[in-house]
């Protein structure tokens, strides 16, 4: 059945493509955060281990919300590691960095997700796609706050 929500198929496709990039960033950040949760060591182990767990749990819920919005727009949600690796602005981290480096890498990842989300606003504004704009706003709030909290753990 055709989708008639007041946004053309071409515009819905462009938004879905942008959301697919956001989904890719979010999933790669989820994997990185989960990896760091498992492998963090040092005097801040417990604090970081628990904080990273909270963050990857939040990211797991976020990927579902983003994928469901792509589906609501009428397009398949990507779900492969290959797609995510190709479309994410966040790169994998090789090896096991120090706890401080983990924090820095996660700040970079959180901010990358914000930039990807922010880049979709011109199109969502143009076509009055408030549901997507709302999702983007919510994601940006979470990622900006998380980046701030992580940054606060670093030496000044």
């Amino acid at each position: 059945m055709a989708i008639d929500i007041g946004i053309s198929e071409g515009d819905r496709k462009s938004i879905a493509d942008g959301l697919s990039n956001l989904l890719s960033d979010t999933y790669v950040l989820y994997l990185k955060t989960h990896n760091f949760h498992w492998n963090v060591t040092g005097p801040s182990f417990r604090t970081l281990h628990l904080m990273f767990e909270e963050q990857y749990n939040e990211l797991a819920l976020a990927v579902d919300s983003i994928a469901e919005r792509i589906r609501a727009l009428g397009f398949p949600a990507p779900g492969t590691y290959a797609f995510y690796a190709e479309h994410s602005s966040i790169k994998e981290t090789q090896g096991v960095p120090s706890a401080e480096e983990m924090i820095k890498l996660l700040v970079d990842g959180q901010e990358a997700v914000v930039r990807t989300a922010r880049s979709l606003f011109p199109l969502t504004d143009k076509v009055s796609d408030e549901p997507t704009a709302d999702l983007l706003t919510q994601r940006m709030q979470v990622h900006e706050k998380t980046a701030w909290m992580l940054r606060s753990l670093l030496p000044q």
Side-chain angles (χ1 to χ4, degrees):
M1 187 169 171
I3 296 174
D4 185 11
I5 59 173
I7 302 171
S8 73
E9 182 175 359
D11 286 337
R12 285 187 289 108
K13 173 78 168 109
S14 294
I15 293 168
D17 288 346
L19 287 172
S20 294
N21 293 336
L22 181 65
L23 179 61
S24 298
D25 276 357
T26 304
Y27 206 92
V28 170
L29 183 58
Y30 162 81
L31 288 173
K32 183 177 292 220
T33 305
H34 211 151
N35 175 26
F36 291 172
H37 162 79
W38 290 327
N39 291 299
V40 68
T41 60
S44 298
F45 166 79
R46 181 159 173 74
T47 300
L48 294 176
H49 183 74
L50 294 173
M51 179 184 269
F52 295 166
E53 183 175 12
E54 289 173 9
Q55 291 171 6
Y56 77 69
N57 283 330
E58 194 285 326
L59 289 162
L61 296 173
V63 296
D64 200 51
S65 296
I66 297 164
E68 288 176 356
R69 183 63 192 152
I70 294 167
R71 294 296 299 135
L73 291 168
F75 297 92
T80 66
Y81 297 121
F83 183 94
Y84 297 151
E86 184 179 335
H87 291 88
S88 178
S89 66
I90 302 169
K91 301 305 169 209
E92 287 186 304
T93 299
Q94 300 302 313
V96 179
S98 68
E100 185 173 322
E101 187 61 23
M102 287 178 179
I103 294 167
K104 290 176 182 177
L105 289 165
L106 292 177
V107 168
D108 290 343
Q110 296 286 339
E111 291 177 344
V113 175
V114 171
R115 290 188 302 272
T116 299
R118 185 168 274 119
S119 72
L120 292 171
F121 274 103
L123 181 54
T124 62
D125 288 347
K126 181 184 112 186
V127 299
S128 299
D129 183 359
E130 286 81 5
T132 299
D134 182 54
L135 173 65
L136 296 172
T137 299
Q138 290 174 31
R139 297 309 316 145
M140 289 170 56
Q141 287 173 336
V142 168
H143 292 288
E144 287 179 0
K145 181 176 182 179
T146 303
W148 158 63
M149 294 177 92
L150 288 164
R151 210 179 293 104
S152 296
L153 295 168
L154 296 170
Q156 300 303 315

